[in-house]
Amino acid sequence: MAYENNQQPERNMDGVYSKRLKAGKRRTYFFDVKTTRGNDYFITITESKKRNNEDGYDRHKIFLYKEDFNKFLAALTEAINYVKTELMPDFDFDAYNHDQPREKDNHPAEAETTDQADDTATDHSSEDVDSW
């Protein structure tokens, strides 16, 4: 039996969580938890970068499956810690936490997250990022 792709509109509904991270003026990262047809979960990490002197965006996507979550997190943490401790120990990485407002008592405010599928559309709609 030939495969027919008549379920395309439904595939956009497979997101169960989305977090958008704006990184400068031209880059945005999306961390999306999605479901498979077999009711399993995976994560997509997408970098969307506005093209120089052109309309549109370049996108790069990584699919991360549950069996690799721990290995991926360990390798990423190890690489980040190497840069922070070995290559740039005197650099103030916290100076770039300007997206999190501080309370009056100098305690960092709670980070805002989205955990509803309805927020996915809100997170992905922005004048800086094209629609998927």
Side-chain angles (χ1 to χ4, degrees):
M1 177 157 107
Y3 176 77
E4 293 181 359
N5 191 6
N6 54 5
Q7 293 183 352
Q8 186 62 29
E10 292 182 26
R11 293 298 294 160
N12 291 334
M13 300 302 289
D14 61 355
V16 295
Y17 176 89
S18 184
K19 178 67 179 171
R20 181 179 70 175
L21 171 66
K22 292 187 69 72
K25 294 181 181 180
R26 297 185 143 333
R27 287 178 296 124
T28 303
Y29 297 102
F30 296 94
F31 300 87
D32 298 307
V33 177
K34 298 188 176 199
T35 59
T36 65
R37 290 184 182 134
N39 291 325
D40 209 352
Y41 299 97
F42 65 98
I43 295 172
T44 60
I45 303 170
T46 307
E47 176 195 38
S48 181
K49 189 165 132 180
K50 188 168 178 75
R51 293 183 183 140
N52 290 331
N53 301 323
E54 295 181 33
D55 290 334
Y57 294 81
D58 289 324
R59 284 188 221 100
H60 301 43
K61 188 172 281 201
I62 297 172
F63 289 81
L64 185 59
Y65 300 98
K66 69 177 186 285
E67 58 269 18
D68 299 321
F69 285 179
N70 290 339
K71 292 183 284 187
F72 184 90
L73 183 58
L76 179 61
T77 301
E78 184 178 331
I80 290 171
N81 286 337
Y82 179 78
V83 172
K84 285 183 168 184
T85 59
E86 301 296 325
L87 300 178
M88 303 178 77
D90 298 327
F91 187 79
D92 183 12
F93 289 96
D94 291 330
Y96 291 95
N97 291 342
H98 52 77
D99 59 331
Q100 296 181 5
R102 298 225 173 231
E103 294 176 359
K104 289 183 180 181
D105 296 332
N106 290 332
H107 294 101
E110 292 290 324
E112 184 177 312
T113 61
T114 58
D115 57 4
Q116 299 296 323
D118 293 340
D119 291 339
T120 301
T122 304
D123 279 350
H124 287 266
S125 61
S126 169
E127 64 275 0
D128 295 335
V129 178
D130 61 336
S131 63
W132 302 102

